[in-house]
Amino acid sequence: MTIEITRTGKDSLFIDTPVMPAAGTFGYGDAYRNIVRVEKLGAVITNPVTYQPWHPANGTRVIPLDAGVLVHTGLPNPGISKVLSQYRTMWSRMPVPVIMHIVATTPDQVARCASRIEAEEVVTGIELGLNDDTGSQSAQDFVKAVLRNTQKPLMVRLPMQDAYELAEPVAQAGAGALVVTAPPRGTARDPYSGRLVPGRVYGPLIRPIALRMVGHLARRVDIPIIGAGGIHSPQDARDFIEAGARAVQIDSVTWIEPKMLEIIARDLGGLTVTRASDALADEWYLGMGESTLARRRESMRAEDD
Amino acid sequence: MTIEITRTGKDSLFIDTPVMPAAGTFGYGDAYRNIVRVEKLGAVITNPVTYQPWHPANGTRVIPLDAGVLVHTGLPNPGISKVLSQYRTMWSRMPVPVIMHIVATTPDQVARCASRIEAEEVVTGIELGLNDDTGSQSAQDFVKAVLRNTQKPLMVRLPMQDAYELAEPVAQAGAGALVVTAPPRGTARDPYSGRLVPGRVYGPLIRPIALRMVGHLARRVDIPIIGAGGIHSPQDARDFIEAGARAVQIDSVTWIEPKMLEIIARDLGGLTVTRASDALADEWYLGMGESTLARRRESMRAEDD
Amino acid sequence: MIAQLTDAMQQTQALIQRVRRINAHFQHVDLGIEEQLGDIKPGQSLLVRQTQDWQPYLREQWWPVRIAPNLVVVERPGHIKYEPGEFISVLGPVGSFFRFRRSLRHVLLIAYDTPPTPLLSMIPLLIANQTSLTLVLLGEAAAYQTDHLAGQVEVIHGGADLEWEHRIMTVGLADQVFAVARPDDEIRRFGDIWRMFAELRADIRKNYLFGVFQSIQPCGAGVCQACMIRLKQGTALTCVEGPTLDLSQVQL
Amino acid sequence: MIAQLTDAMQQTQALIQRVRRINAHFQHVDLGIEEQLGDIKPGQSLLVRQTQDWQPYLREQWWPVRIAPNLVVVERPGHIKYEPGEFISVLGPVGSFFRFRRSLRHVLLIAYDTPPTPLLSMIPLLIANQTSLTLVLLGEAAAYQTDHLAGQVEVIHGGADLEWEHRIMTVGLADQVFAVARPDDEIRRFGDIWRMFAELRADIRKNYLFGVFQSIQPCGAGVCQACMIRLKQGTALTCVEGPTLDLSQVQL
Ligand SMILES: Cc1cc2nc3c(=O)[nH]c(=O)nc-3n(C[C@H](O)[C@H](O)[C@H](O)COP(=O)(O)OP(=O)(O)OC[C@H]3O[C@@H](n4cnc5c(N)ncnc54)[C@H](O)[C@@H]3O)c2cc1C
Ligand SMILES: Cc1cc2nc3c(=O)[nH]c(=O)nc-3n(C[C@H](O)[C@H](O)[C@H](O)COP(=O)(O)OP(=O)(O)OC[C@H]3O[C@@H](n4cnc5c(N)ncnc54)[C@H](O)[C@@H]3O)c2cc1C
Ligand SMILES: Cc1cc2nc3c(=O)[nH]c(=O)nc-3n(C[C@H](O)[C@H](O)[C@H](O)COP(=O)(O)O)c2cc1C
Ligand SMILES: Cc1cc2nc3c(=O)[nH]c(=O)nc-3n(C[C@H](O)[C@H](O)[C@H](O)COP(=O)(O)O)c2cc1C
Ligand code: FES
Ligand code: FES
């Protein structure tokens, strides 16, 4: 299976499996090396990177919600130069394309990021993350700033708040694909400090809202859409494909059940694991078949009798 | 306590308690008469009404989600004439203002609804529900269509999808207050039919997104904002007030725990019930103090010993 | 159809007093109920929450199978664990009660691909009234074990094709028929039942063939409109006018 | 600070083998662990999920108090019910292990307004090494009952004001100090502890006073950045470089 996930042209991006991690959920590609077999994924999207280093936000970072979580980080990262020097070698060994997520800070900084990436063979493409409250004009400026400085394929991740408004302008400006959408911004009360904390909201309830956006926008824009938002199972991922997405990004479930990322990728890649007994050695995953613990439990039960 | 919830002027709307049910969660005002003491609420918002009768949607109506639910009804209602003739008498006995929610179908039909309501003494105000995908111009046309035909105060409920975009134009067109926001549209798979079902998403995870919108818009528009979206407890409601809302609407928790609507209203109305022993007779609610069942449980336990 | 308004629901609590396994698949749970819940009548149900948090979000609909003063016995799937002494949150009574004809000699109950639980609360009442009762289990309903039912109930196991032994006779005898069907495709299945009766009888009169609807009920109070059924004339909310609707009036 | 990269975490399961009440507030749970989880070392923790659904959403951080081959004993609040025979989902090991000085004669443990649980896994190791141990319980930590701790651990109850008997002597004796503080305001409380030590000692050298951080960890794998702590130079992720950080390097 080969899937073209950006608009057709000489710089189009092809992947083998229509599943990849969302920026911010998979680090720079090696954090889950003992859990997720990266070669089963379509691509790796890096954590968000800015031109300059960014420091972590102050105050409360995490507020548990019902079936979800609000996270507030301030998007800390050591800046693009440090990230490239630290991960270049590791990325050169990646079995799948590496797509760098860059944050739309200013068109100038974004342009510099793009030209830095243009020089890096190990990076296959760019994902540009637009901030909430970005207007159409400004979004187009960001896209053009990237495209003027690189030939690499460009995906643009739309903020949920303005996805409907930005989709067409961003496509017109030349983006190769749209990621619909980033986790929405929210505010929640920190039960300890008593303060209202801003952040991003993650969890399964985001999914129906994102799925509706994907279904809606897939009929309106003529570049590929990559669906994202609260996907927590293979069926969820297939729903996005059915609604019109060319591929999907998996977000916070990777934090909670990292193996789920690979399970979804195998499923949509046509490698569904259905039974323990038929599984190839490398297809075993948690909960499948025999284990020493299962035997230990049996002996516990035998002692009870 | 008296709170002005629409912009100051001769037709402003005053309420005693900054808490009311959201349209669609409280019927026409009497469904919960044995559970919720209406006089503790600030106002009653009716179920959404259209000029013509609307029929129910086909297909699946309800899809349970994690900590939430997707509901798809098609907004059935018997049309404004039937609603008025059926409920006029009951509303005349309501101890708090009745605000009719009318759906923005066409400016012409909305204008007719407004002039029908203008003639009804029992209805104190209008809440206009804008549909998703309404543009700014069209939203202003709807608002003006209402205002040309009534002197009654007008609240406008913004769709979540376009709340940021519509807030200012709607305020400029003369709306007395904004309700931020209606439950967002979403899509979810019906596990039985296998179909993707469109509808509205309800649940606690909406709250941080809505709360952020309220905090954001309260600093940008100069008419009162009524906060709504996934409020499930008195603390949630107070969060919206702290973020800048003049009052709040309580939505789907009323379906699940109808008494919570009154508990929130009492709390924000300054009538917090803290202990069973001090509660006035009418302040008793589920789980407070003595009950015949508690005694019955004691005797079950005594038998066990 | 004009709403048969029952008295509005209450929100209160119930006490799990006793739990008995009745067969491989089901258990009966005795619920002690508060006086304020009022008189629950056969046909009405309860909307129950056991958790303090919001998962699951919607209440479960619990069907009484026996009703006594201050006590309701409900039939629940056997794999769920209920602890005697546990309090649960209850909304109810939900819906309208069964309406029986004045002179009633024989009632036919049909369960089609679903357990007959929602029908069972009428059994004690009808037996006390000397009404004879036949329960037909069709399709997947055949797996329902009936040893716990009163001996007076004649039980017939039919096939998946709405066929059973002596069908013409049982249908001919019945003064009223009450059916439940698997809720994921209730309207279609009630349509199957309707057409089956229409083949057997020249005309199906009013107040004869009823469906007991198990639509998911987000509110149970007539406000959310999610349980609305299209009638030939107008609409009905299964949580208020239902769960039992005359199938001659429903748009099948 | 350059990341002390431990080997990356595994996702696997553990078996609850035994549950013992150790005092009024806590229980010890014996977890049988899969070989693939590898060697867990004192200082590391596990991220655990018991539910199949998404409520609660985040994993709980479980702190070992004793580590043996294929077995980890964790200390959990007493009011939660764990069933022997139950499987739980485990991510781990999380974080880096405690680093001790080569010649270590006395270690001081401080729990400030929080149970000392995250510190306890070093006790068996240090006792085996003939290191003497003092545990000071400050503020709300005084409610922690210590009867289950090894007799070799000297326990001192202090006040809410960071005072305790023979404080100057205990601090003077200690070669290394490890502290936990209530997580809702950890940085401020570690600041209190730092200032208290700064009053007692002319200068606080590196590798002497450590904080064991209990930040909420959405991922535990260094990817979500939510557990990031500002250092005087740069930053540290408590889930990778922590949970134990040298307080002389932390921006307090
Ligand atoms: C799964 C996941 C996916 C992500 N995807 C994206 C993405 O597609 N695009 C993306 O940009 N980030 C992405 N990020 C980063 C994330 O969106 C947030 O930016 C990051 O988590 C910090 O936001 P916060 O709400 O935690 O903190 P905040 O305090 O809200 O962020 C810090 C401050 O920085 C501001 N800010 C953020 N970005 C900019 C900017 N570009 N220009 C000016 N100010 C800015 C915010 O408005 C805020 O005031 C992702 C993170 C995760 C975990
Ligand atoms: C708690 C609650 C609050 C509500 N608040 C509002 C509100 O503030 N404003 C409001 O309008 N409704 C409100 N409603 C009604 C609700 O928003 C939905 O309109 C209703 O539930 C039907 O939508 P649906 O998604 O279930 O069905 P859908 O099938 O999505 O709705 C039927 C169709 O009607 C279309 N439609 C809806 N309104 C219009 C319109 N005005 N003009 C043209 N087409 C239209 C929809 O796009 C859809 O295609 C509320 C309902 C509830 C339960
Ligand atoms: C050039 C630049 C650098 C920034 N660096 C940081 C940073 O290091 N950490 C951070 O949390 N936010 C950083 N931000 C985001 C600012 O903090 C943000 O614009 C400010 O907090 C107000 O935004 P808000 O209203 O969206 O919260 C940076 C923004 C810009 C434009
Ligand atoms: C005048 C008018 C009457 C409508 N009546 C109904 C109705 O009775 N039931 C219903 O579900 N939707 C009704 N609708 C909404 C239409 O069904 C809706 O516009 C159509 O389904 C397409 O909208 P969508 O793309 O948002 O789904 C009505 C819309 C208008 C403008
Ligand atoms: S369940 Fe809400 S109207 Fe019937
Ligand atoms: S918990 Fe996610 S980076 Fe530490």
Side-chain angles (χ1 to χ4, degrees):
Chain A
M1 176 156 55
T2 299
I3 300 155
E4 190 172 23
I5 57 160
T6 57
R7 69 166 83 211
T8 303
K10 74 172 165 25
D11 310 310
S12 187
L13 179 59
F14 291 89
I15 58 177
D16 288 337
T17 304
V19 178
M20 59 197 99
T25 63
F26 202 67
Y28 297 98
D30 65 343
Y32 292 115
R33 63 188 172 280
N34 291 348
I35 304 178
V36 177
R37 296 175 63 101
V38 174
E39 67 271 26
K40 304 291 177 194
L41 306 178
V44 162
I45 315 281
T46 70
N47 264 17
V49 176
T50 50
Y51 187 70
Q52 300 284 353
W54 274 23
H55 307 294
N58 289 318
T60 307
R61 304 290 172 66
V62 184
I63 299 184
L65 306 171
D66 290 288
V69 61
L70 180 135
V71 180
H72 169 63
T73 67
L75 203 64
N77 78 93
I80 193 165
S81 302
K82 265 239 176 84
V83 169
L84 284 170
S85 64
Q86 198 169 343
Y87 295 104
R88 192 181 282 120
T89 315
M90 192 253 286
W91 290 345
S92 72
R93 290 191 296 259
M94 275 284 168
V96 296
V98 171
I99 296 168
M100 249 184 121
H101 180 102
I102 60 177
V103 179
T105 49
T106 65
D108 177 55
Q109 293 192 345
V110 159
R112 285 165 200 246
C113 284
S115 62
R116 293 296 309 273
I117 294 171
E118 179 64 6
E120 298 288 339
E121 248 185 83
V122 297
V123 181
T124 307
I126 295 178
E127 179 181 274
L128 174 70
L130 296 177
N131 198 16
D132 299 62
D133 302 315
T134 306
S136 308
Q137 183 56 53
S138 155
Q140 291 192 320
D141 294 344
F142 280 117
V143 172
K144 288 174 186 161
V146 174
L147 295 176
R148 267 196 300 273
N149 288 282
T150 183
Q151 302 288 321
K152 303 203 183 208
L154 171 66
M155 296 154 41
V156 179
R157 180 152 167 157
L158 302 180
M160 182 176 265
Q161 171 190 314
D162 306 306
Y164 290 104
E165 190 191 335
L166 295 180
E168 291 221 30
V170 165
Q172 276 162 17
L178 300 177
V179 182
V180 177
T181 75
R185 284 192 181 274
T187 301
R189 183 171 300 272
D190 176 11
Y192 296 113
S193 71
R195 276 192 288 267
L196 292 178
V197 174
R200 299 248 175 179
V201 178
Y202 302 88
L205 212 59
I206 300 306
R207 190 178 61 248
I209 305 176
L211 181 58
R212 195 245 178 193
M213 287 187 165
V214 167
H216 213 74
L217 292 177
R219 280 176 266 134
R220 269 155 231 227
V221 295
D222 53 8
I223 59 174
I225 285 182
I226 297 161
I231 295 175
H232 279 64
S233 73
Q235 182 61 54
D236 293 346
R238 287 194 296 264
D239 292 352
F240 277 77
I241 302 287
E242 180 175 328
R246 190 73 63 89
V248 294
Q249 291 187 354
I250 311 304
D251 50 36
S252 56
V253 74
T254 304
W255 298 337
I256 314 292
E257 297 284 351
K259 192 77 185 171
M260 185 56 75
L261 172 60
E262 181 181 332
I263 293 172
I264 295 171
R266 283 166 176 272
D267 189 284
L268 269 71
L271 259 174
T272 320
V273 180
T274 47
R275 290 190 297 158
S277 61
D278 282 354
L280 303 174
D282 77 325
E283 288 180 341
W284 185 91
Y285 65 83
L286 173 64
M288 283 186 62
E290 276 294 288
S291 77
T292 50
L293 287 185
R295 285 192 295 274
R296 219 186 290 177
R297 178 158 73 166
E298 286 318 304
S299 67
M300 276 172 69
R301 298 221 155 133
E303 279 167 35
D304 279 358
D305 294 343
Chain B
M1 177 158 52
T2 300
I3 301 154
E4 189 172 22
I5 58 161
T6 58
R7 70 167 82 211
T8 304
K10 74 172 163 30
D11 309 310
S12 186
L13 179 58
F14 291 89
I15 59 178
D16 288 335
T17 303
V19 178
M20 59 197 100
T25 62
F26 203 66
Y28 296 99
D30 65 343
Y32 292 116
R33 63 188 173 280
N34 290 350
I35 303 179
V36 176
R37 296 176 62 102
V38 174
E39 68 271 27
K40 303 291 176 193
L41 307 177
V44 163
I45 315 282
T46 70
N47 264 17
V49 176
T50 49
Y51 187 71
Q52 300 283 352
W54 274 22
H55 307 295
N58 288 318
T60 307
R61 304 290 172 68
V62 184
I63 300 184
L65 306 172
D66 290 288
V69 62
L70 180 136
V71 179
H72 169 62
T73 66
L75 203 63
N77 77 92
I80 193 164
S81 302
K82 265 238 175 87
V83 169
L84 284 171
S85 63
Q86 199 169 340
Y87 294 104
R88 191 180 283 121
T89 315
M90 193 252 288
W91 290 345
S92 71
R93 289 190 296 258
M94 277 282 170
V96 297
V98 172
I99 297 167
M100 251 185 119
H101 181 103
I102 61 177
V103 178
T105 49
T106 64
D108 177 54
Q109 292 192 346
V110 158
R112 285 164 199 247
C113 285
S115 62
R116 292 297 309 273
I117 293 171
E118 178 66 6
E120 298 288 338
E121 247 185 83
V122 296
V123 181
T124 308
I126 295 179
E127 179 181 274
L128 174 71
L130 295 178
N131 199 14
D132 297 62
D133 303 315
T134 306
S136 307
Q137 183 57 53
S138 155
Q140 291 191 320
D141 293 344
F142 279 117
V143 171
K144 288 174 186 160
V146 174
L147 293 177
R148 266 196 300 273
N149 288 281
T150 182
Q151 302 289 322
K152 303 202 183 208
L154 171 66
M155 294 154 43
V156 178
R157 181 153 168 157
L158 302 180
M160 183 178 264
Q161 171 189 315
D162 306 305
Y164 289 105
E165 191 191 333
L166 296 180
E168 290 219 31
V170 165
Q172 276 161 17
L178 300 177
V179 182
V180 178
T181 76
R185 285 193 178 273
T187 301
R189 184 171 300 273
D190 176 11
Y192 296 112
S193 70
R195 276 192 288 268
L196 293 179
V197 174
R200 299 248 176 180
V201 178
Y202 302 89
L205 214 59
I206 301 308
R207 189 178 62 247
I209 306 176
L211 181 58
R212 196 247 178 193
M213 288 188 163
V214 167
H216 214 73
L217 292 177
R219 279 177 266 133
R220 270 155 231 228
V221 294
D222 52 8
I223 59 174
I225 286 183
I226 296 162
I231 295 175
H232 279 64
S233 72
Q235 181 61 54
D236 294 346
R238 286 194 296 262
D239 291 352
F240 276 77
I241 302 287
E242 181 176 326
R246 189 74 60 92
V248 294
Q249 291 187 355
I250 309 304
D251 51 34
S252 56
V253 73
T254 304
W255 298 338
I256 314 294
E257 298 283 353
K259 192 76 187 172
M260 186 55 76
L261 172 61
E262 181 181 330
I263 292 172
I264 296 172
R266 283 166 177 272
D267 189 284
L268 268 71
L271 258 174
T272 320
V273 179
T274 48
R275 290 189 295 158
S277 60
D278 283 353
L280 303 176
D282 75 324
E283 289 179 341
W284 185 93
Y285 64 83
L286 174 65
M288 281 186 65
E290 276 294 290
S291 77
T292 50
L293 288 184
R295 284 192 295 275
R296 221 185 289 176
R297 175 156 76 163
E298 287 317 304
S299 67
M300 279 172 66
R301 299 226 153 129
E303 280 166 33
D304 279 359
D305 295 341
Chain C
M1 181 185 266
I2 287 162
Q4 289 173 9
L5 262 187
T6 53
D7 196 31
M9 61 164 50
Q10 302 278 356
Q11 177 176 345
T12 179
Q13 56 189 352
L15 173 66
I16 294 182
Q17 296 187 178
R18 200 157 79 114
V19 179
R20 270 156 307 149
R21 199 66 191 221
I22 55 150
N23 61 37
H25 303 296
F26 288 94
Q27 57 192 325
H28 280 179
V29 181
D30 290 9
L31 297 179
I33 56 175
E34 296 273 14
E35 288 79 2
Q36 71 183 113
L37 201 56
D39 287 336
I40 296 177
K41 297 209 176 61
Q44 297 181 312
S45 63
L46 303 174
L47 286 173
V48 171
R49 262 176 83 77
Q50 290 178 272
T51 56
Q52 294 295 319
D53 61 25
W54 303 110
Q55 177 80 4
Y57 193 65
L58 298 182
R59 287 174 176 261
E60 291 176 343
Q61 193 165 18
W62 285 20
W63 295 98
V65 294
R66 197 163 72 76
I67 297 167
N70 294 327
L71 183 83
V72 169
V73 182
V74 296
E75 184 165 291
R76 299 291 304 149
H79 65 273
I80 307 172
K81 205 164 166 191
Y82 300 107
E83 287 283 353
E86 187 190 350
F87 280 106
I88 56 173
S89 164
V90 170
L91 276 184
V94 176
S96 301
F97 35 88
F98 297 123
R99 308 241 162 205
F100 300 107
R101 303 168 77 91
R102 201 133 333 145
S103 68
L104 190 65
R105 280 181 310 186
H106 196 88
V107 166
L108 177 60
L109 306 179
I110 296 177
Y112 179 21
D113 281 348
T114 196
T117 309
L119 304 174
L120 303 185
S121 62
M122 71 173 77
I123 292 177
L125 185 76
L126 292 180
I127 288 177
N129 257 340
Q130 315 281 330
T131 307
S132 78
L133 269 158
T134 302
L135 169 64
V136 180
L137 301 171
L138 297 174
E140 293 169 24
Y144 185 83
Q145 296 166 333
T146 55
D147 296 346
H148 63 291
L149 296 184
Q152 292 94 325
V153 181
E154 182 195 20
V155 177
I156 299 177
H157 289 83
D161 51 358
L162 300 187
E163 281 290 349
W164 65 87
E165 253 193 310
H166 310 305
R167 193 176 69 173
I168 295 177
M169 205 186 65
T170 24
V171 167
L173 262 178
D175 302 306
Q176 278 188 307
V177 184
F178 295 87
V180 284
R182 200 169 68 198
D184 63 340
D185 209 1
E186 227 168 21
I187 287 282
R188 186 186 63 71
R189 284 188 173 78
F190 282 136
D192 293 345
I193 291 174
W194 177 267
R195 283 180 292 276
M196 183 261 285
F197 272 83
E199 276 170 27
L200 298 179
R201 302 181 78 109
D203 99 306
I204 303 178
R205 60 186 193 283
K206 280 195 180 174
N207 287 324
Y208 167 70
L209 177 54
F210 293 89
V212 179
F213 285 76
Q214 301 176 73
S215 342
I216 300 184
Q217 300 192 343
C219 76
V223 311
C224 78
Q225 320 272 300
C227 68
M228 194 177 267
I229 299 284
R230 283 176 199 250
L231 303 183
K232 287 171 183 156
Q233 304 276 317
T235 59
L237 296 172
T238 66
C239 70
V240 177
E241 291 125 288
T244 308
L245 297 176
D246 186 336
L247 292 183
S248 72
Q249 297 179 41
V250 174
Q251 182 74 55
L252 293 171
Chain D
M1 181 186 267
I2 287 161
Q4 289 173 10
L5 261 186
T6 53
D7 196 32
M9 62 163 50
Q10 302 278 355
Q11 177 176 345
T12 180
Q13 56 189 352
L15 173 65
I16 294 181
Q17 295 186 181
R18 200 157 78 114
V19 179
R20 271 158 305 150
R21 199 66 192 223
I22 54 149
N23 59 38
H25 303 297
F26 287 94
Q27 57 192 327
H28 281 179
V29 180
D30 290 9
L31 297 179
I33 56 175
E34 296 274 14
E35 288 80 4
Q36 70 183 113
L37 201 56
D39 288 336
I40 297 177
K41 297 208 175 64
Q44 297 182 314
S45 63
L46 303 174
L47 286 173
V48 170
R49 262 176 82 77
Q50 289 178 270
T51 56
Q52 294 296 319
D53 61 24
W54 303 110
Q55 178 80 3
Y57 193 66
L58 298 181
R59 287 174 176 260
E60 289 175 343
Q61 193 165 18
W62 286 19
W63 295 97
V65 294
R66 197 163 72 76
I67 298 167
N70 294 327
L71 183 81
V72 168
V73 183
V74 296
E75 184 166 294
R76 299 290 304 150
H79 65 272
I80 308 171
K81 206 167 165 187
Y82 300 107
E83 287 282 353
E86 185 190 353
F87 281 107
I88 55 173
S89 164
V90 171
L91 276 184
V94 176
S96 302
F97 36 88
F98 296 124
R99 307 244 163 201
F100 301 108
R101 303 168 78 91
R102 200 125 344 137
S103 70
L104 190 64
R105 282 181 309 188
H106 197 88
V107 166
L108 177 61
L109 306 180
I110 296 176
Y112 180 20
D113 282 345
T114 196
T117 309
L119 304 174
L120 304 185
S121 62
M122 71 172 79
I123 292 177
L125 185 77
L126 293 180
I127 288 176
N129 257 338
Q130 315 280 328
T131 306
S132 78
L133 269 158
T134 302
L135 169 63
V136 180
L137 301 171
L138 298 173
E140 292 169 25
Y144 185 82
Q145 295 166 331
T146 56
D147 296 346
H148 63 291
L149 296 184
Q152 292 95 325
V153 180
E154 182 196 20
V155 177
I156 298 176
H157 289 84
D161 50 357
L162 301 187
E163 281 289 349
W164 66 86
E165 253 192 311
H166 310 307
R167 192 176 70 174
I168 295 178
M169 205 186 65
T170 25
V171 168
L173 262 178
D175 303 307
Q176 278 188 310
V177 184
F178 295 87
V180 284
R182 201 169 69 198
D184 63 339
D185 209 2
E186 228 169 18
I187 288 282
R188 186 186 63 72
R189 283 188 175 78
F190 282 137
D192 293 345
I193 291 174
W194 177 267
R195 282 180 292 275
M196 184 260 289
F197 273 82
E199 277 170 26
L200 297 180
R201 303 181 76 110
D203 100 303
I204 304 176
R205 60 187 192 281
K206 279 194 182 174
N207 288 323
Y208 168 70
L209 177 54
F210 293 88
V212 179
F213 284 77
Q214 300 178 75
S215 343
I216 301 183
Q217 300 192 344
C219 77
V223 311
C224 77
Q225 320 272 299
C227 68
M228 195 177 268
I229 299 285
R230 284 177 197 248
L231 304 182
K232 286 171 184 155
Q233 303 275 316
T235 60
L237 295 171
T238 66
C239 70
V240 177
E241 293 127 287
T244 308
L245 298 176
D246 185 337
L247 291 184
S248 72
Q249 297 178 40
V250 174
Q251 181 75 55
L252 291 173

